Amino acid sequence: MMKFFVWAVIIVVASSIVVGFFIVGSPATERMRRFDDDRLADLQNIQWQIVNFWQSKERFPKGLDELKDDVSGWVAPTDPETGSAYEYLPGEGYSFTLCANFSLPSENVIPPLSKEPYHADYFDDASWAHKAGLYCFERIVDPERYPPFEKPVRAQ
């Protein structure tokens, strides 16, 4: 009877572990998910640096290195897993594109690409939905929502 009880406990524990992997995912999958979350946070940070640059200079930077700011100490982040630079492409008019290489698809449904000015909120998950692999986010800055900063008039 004791032998049966020990085997039953072993089966229950082993089953719990297997079910746990199905529900939560393996440690490797969770690690990939954390890297992807870091990539998204980096891209959001870069996006707002680009918008701030546009508001200050009324043009987009030619590359991410142009966003470097020695006063604030801001330097464009790199991929947390590979250390490679994120892709940035200035577009036509008020548009620009940010790209990263993701390990997993996001859990959100990927919305259709829109050419409308970018109005999504900073934490809008749908605007950051992505597939696995290289995925690019096209952004269009709405100059009415993000107007250029007023320049102070210098006294002569």
Side-chain angles (χ1 to χ4, degrees):
M1 186 67 158
M2 183 62 122
K3 199 177 207 181
F4 175 75
F5 178 74
V6 169
W7 279 106
V9 168
I10 291 172
I11 290 172
V12 167
V13 169
S15 298
S16 299
I17 292 171
V18 170
V19 169
F21 279 130
F22 280 110
I23 293 172
V24 177
S26 71
T29 301
E30 190 56 33
R31 183 172 188 263
M32 288 189 289
R33 187 174 291 115
R34 276 194 319 246
F35 279 136
D36 283 350
D37 288 345
D38 289 346
R39 288 179 184 105
L40 284 177
D42 288 346
L43 291 179
Q44 289 171 343
N45 185 347
I46 293 168
Q47 171 183 288
W48 288 108
Q49 293 294 330
I50 292 168
V51 170
N52 186 52
F53 186 96
W54 183 87
Q55 288 179 298
S56 298
K57 302 185 186 284
E58 295 185 57
R59 69 176 179 83
F60 287 110
K62 292 175 180 72
L64 293 179
D65 56 324
E66 196 173 354
L67 296 172
K68 182 180 177 188
D69 184 353
D70 292 332
V71 174
S72 70
W74 194 88
V75 177
T78 57
D79 185 285
E81 186 176 16
T82 66
S84 61
Y86 293 109
E87 290 183 43
Y88 160 71
L89 302 164
E92 297 290 321
Y94 298 112
S95 70
F96 64 92
T97 303
L98 291 173
C99 305
N101 203 343
F102 294 95
S103 300
L104 301 169
S106 62
E107 295 174 5
N108 301 315
V109 176
I110 296 175
L113 289 177
S114 171
K115 296 293 182 186
E116 295 300 310
Y118 179 65
H119 288 291
D121 203 63
Y122 184 78
F123 293 106
D124 181 4
D125 291 336
S127 71
W128 293 101
H130 58 83
K131 296 179 182 177
L134 183 64
Y135 192 82
C136 296
F137 302 91
E138 183 177 348
R139 297 297 190 232
I140 301 172
V141 176
D142 181 349
E144 291 179 12
R145 187 167 194 163
Y146 302 102
F149 297 134
E150 290 192 28
K151 310 290 188 274
V153 178
R154 294 182 185 182
Q156 298 282 349

